[in-house]
Amino acid sequence: MNETDRILTLTEHRSADLEDEWVQAVPASFWEQTKANVTRVPGQAEWRVLADAYVGVARVKTDLGHLAVHISPKLDRCDTFFLADYAYGQHHQPLHRLPGEQALVDQVRNDPAACLLLWHVLAIHRFSARWLQRDQVTVTRDLHGKIKGSIQLGRYITKHVALADAATIPCRLRERTQDTPNNRILKAGLRRAALLALNLPVPGARRAVRTAVNAALPRFAQVADVSGSPRDLRGTSTTGPQRHYAEVLHATIGFLHGNFLSGELGSTGTTAFLWSMPTLFQEALRGVISESTSLRLLEDVPVATIHDAQGTQRSSSKVDPDYVVVTAKGSTLLLDAKYKNAATISSSNDLLELPGARLIRVPRSDIYQMAAYRQHDRWAKPVGALVYPISLHAGETLPAPHQVRGFGAPIYIYFVDVGPNARANLPRFLEHTVTLAEGSADVERALESAPTRLG
């Protein structure tokens, strides 16, 4: 950063001010791609910039310098890397890509998280699909009975003529091949990603990285394997006809040196590392549940149909809770993930008291939605529950589920920790999930939660 660089710090769904000259200098496409709303009240000199669903860092070149936008989650101390580890390899891709191949974040994490490994593997895969090509390299070959290129005279006399093998002639020549130093380093980056994936704590994330590496490696079938040693690096080039390798090659070299992220601005003008938080939370929760040996996710989606007076079907719509969970006993649990800061102190009519001097705010629409899901004919007596994120402090225990009564069987509200201690609290979350799904007769006593009514 230099004196003309500008950092705009935002929190998801909270606005901040930005001078008019900077707004005018930044391309409109940048605000569109980052899902940032830029508005100004008549009579005011400053613009209001509001971040929507994306969290992370985006940076763009302008005539006034570099503008870096840092967007933090609305949930305090939310560990997005924890969520990303479980989200990758699920149904949807929560990592949003802007033009450019490099990742830029405000805090480098040393752990080889799946999202960072996948970012790099996918960058190499995309590059190879477009740019990987044969190039001229200088090699030494032992030719038999013919000459091509230039003869290595000294070697020919000492190694061949002296041994009565005058028909074998060592020649130095140029040939076209994919086995170039640049391509060798890119392949080494893929191999390193596959190796580091073995250390990922989430089996689903390990599978996702391996799948991405296996999809990219066939493009490098004619490229030799190297370790990425200093000797290997000396042969690389990013000048002349190899200049298009510059960005991905520098990122790969840094990756081989243990730097999983880069803080340098890419040559394309925009770099970003942005997550769609609603998708990230939903897919991370799917990953957590799918890794449980006691629970199984169903993927089929039922529909609700509209019929006319004669009973003819006219239209239909999906009845699609986020997760349909089945236990080994055959019990069904319908879950909806709600990426909302429910655990907060606020004045509202929709409040439920939560142990630990917290309040939770649950919109009535969330309850009504789950009540409707639970009535579908596909599921026989399912349990319905809403899952909200919460960031627990050190020493705090994951709250037991609460009940909302008045819609037949209780609808449950419970939490999953996404803060610094998220991994330690996962077993308790899964215990709550299994207990709810089994729907045992003494579920209320097991949950130790008093019933609460809305409004």
Side-chain angles (χ1 to χ4, degrees):
M1 304 288 284
N2 55 47
E3 66 273 6
T4 64
D5 289 353
R6 175 67 179 267
I7 299 178
L8 177 61
T9 303
L10 298 172
T11 301
E12 185 187 5
H13 295 316
R14 296 180 187 174
S15 59
D17 294 333
L18 191 64
E19 288 88 348
D20 179 69
E21 60 178 351
W22 276 96
V23 173
Q24 300 298 331
V26 175
S29 59
F30 176 77
W31 301 119
E32 295 173 0
Q33 292 165 349
T34 56
K35 302 296 183 183
N37 296 319
V38 184
T39 58
R40 182 170 62 182
V41 177
Q44 291 187 349
E46 294 181 333
W47 290 79
R48 303 293 288 175
V49 181
L50 176 64
D52 189 10
Y54 288 125
V55 164
V57 180
R59 193 176 179 189
V60 64
K61 289 180 180 177
T62 73
D63 294 337
L64 298 179
H66 297 155
L67 176 66
V69 181
H70 293 207
I71 310 172
S72 58
K74 60 185 177 183
L75 204 66
D76 186 34
R77 302 176 304 116
C78 178
D79 187 350
T80 50
F81 282 89
F82 160 77
L83 294 175
D85 283 346
Y86 278 93
Y88 276 89
Q90 301 303 317
H91 286 183
H92 303 286
Q93 170 64 276
L95 186 59
H96 180 60
R97 296 191 59 83
L98 271 66
E101 296 291 349
Q102 289 184 311
L104 175 68
V105 297
D106 55 347
Q107 182 178 5
V108 174
R109 170 171 163 165
N110 293 325
D111 294 355
C115 54
L116 304 183
L117 294 180
L118 273 173
W119 180 287
H120 187 75
V121 171
L122 294 177
I124 293 178
H125 194 175
R126 280 189 301 272
F127 177 86
S128 64
R130 181 179 181 183
W131 294 110
L132 197 66
Q133 56 189 3
R134 297 180 181 274
D135 192 27
Q136 295 282 349
V137 296
T138 301
V139 296
T140 299
R141 302 269 190 226
D142 287 341
L143 303 181
H144 298 278
K146 61 181 179 180
I147 298 175
K148 188 176 182 181
S150 59
I151 301 176
Q152 300 295 101
L153 191 59
R155 181 179 172 184
Y156 176 58
I157 294 173
T158 59
K159 299 291 185 181
H160 298 283
V161 174
L163 298 177
D165 185 21
T168 301
I169 307 172
C171 296
R172 191 170 181 83
L173 53 96
R174 292 183 64 80
E175 64 180 21
R176 291 181 61 81
T177 177
Q178 281 190 341
D179 190 17
T180 63
N182 286 2
N183 291 341
R184 289 179 179 181
I185 295 302
L186 297 186
K187 188 175 184 179
L190 293 176
R191 297 291 192 193
R192 179 64 60 85
L195 181 64
L196 292 175
L198 299 176
N199 299 321
L200 293 174
V202 182
R206 293 197 292 268
R207 291 192 296 270
V209 174
R210 286 199 302 267
T211 299
V213 171
N214 291 338
L217 277 176
R219 298 185 179 277
F220 294 83
Q222 300 180 25
V223 179
D225 283 294
V226 297
S227 62
S229 64
R231 180 180 179 181
D232 299 325
L233 296 177
R234 282 196 293 270
T236 61
S237 172
T238 58
T239 60
Q242 304 295 316
R243 58 184 178 275
H244 57 283
Y245 274 86
E247 195 166 345
V248 68
L249 187 62
H250 291 161
T252 304
I253 292 173
F255 179 70
L256 292 173
H257 289 162
N259 301 320
F260 302 110
L261 297 174
S262 171
E264 297 180 0
L265 190 64
S267 60
T268 56
T270 305
T271 59
F273 199 86
L274 296 171
W275 282 291
S276 171
M277 288 304 292
T279 305
L280 182 62
F281 177 64
Q282 179 176 330
E283 294 305 300
L285 194 53
R286 185 186 305 278
V288 168
I289 296 173
S290 65
E291 296 299 333
S292 172
T293 57
S294 306
L295 304 170
R296 180 169 59 93
L297 287 170
L298 296 183
E299 303 298 341
D300 59 326
V301 178
V303 296
T305 58
I306 298 177
H307 298 78
D308 60 18
Q310 286 73 39
T312 304
Q313 180 178 328
R314 294 301 182 184
S315 65
S316 64
S317 61
K318 293 181 179 180
V319 179
D320 191 14
D322 291 333
Y323 324 101
V324 180
V325 183
V326 178
T327 67
K329 297 180 180 179
S331 304
T332 303
L333 173 65
L334 307 182
L335 290 179
D336 237 26
K338 301 297 183 182
Y339 177 66
K340 299 175 182 177
N341 193 3
T344 183
I345 297 178
S346 176
S347 58
S348 173
N349 293 328
D350 296 343
L351 287 180
L352 304 173
E353 289 192 12
L354 185 70
R358 294 200 190 201
L359 299 175
I360 60 174
R361 182 176 62 237
V362 179
R364 297 173 188 270
S365 58
D366 292 353
I367 302 297
Y368 300 156
Q369 184 181 21
M370 179 51 65
Y373 285 154
R374 204 175 53 181
Q375 297 303 313
H376 197 275
D377 296 338
R378 172 70 62 87
W379 305 296
K381 297 182 180 179
V383 177
L386 304 170
V387 185
Y388 293 88
I390 189 173
S391 180
L392 296 178
H393 296 277
E396 275 191 293
T397 303
L398 191 69
H402 277 53
Q403 303 174 25
V404 178
R405 292 184 176 176
F407 298 92
I411 293 175
Y412 294 92
I413 298 171
Y414 72 126
F415 299 90
V416 59
D417 186 15
V418 297
N421 304 306
R423 295 190 192 278
N425 286 309
L426 271 185
R428 183 168 172 83
F429 167 76
L430 290 174
E431 287 175 8
H432 290 166
T433 305
V434 172
T435 303
L436 289 176
E438 290 178 347
S440 58
D442 57 349
V443 64
E444 295 177 29
R445 182 171 67 256
L447 295 176
E448 298 178 355
S449 175
T452 309
R453 290 182 181 272
L454 285 180

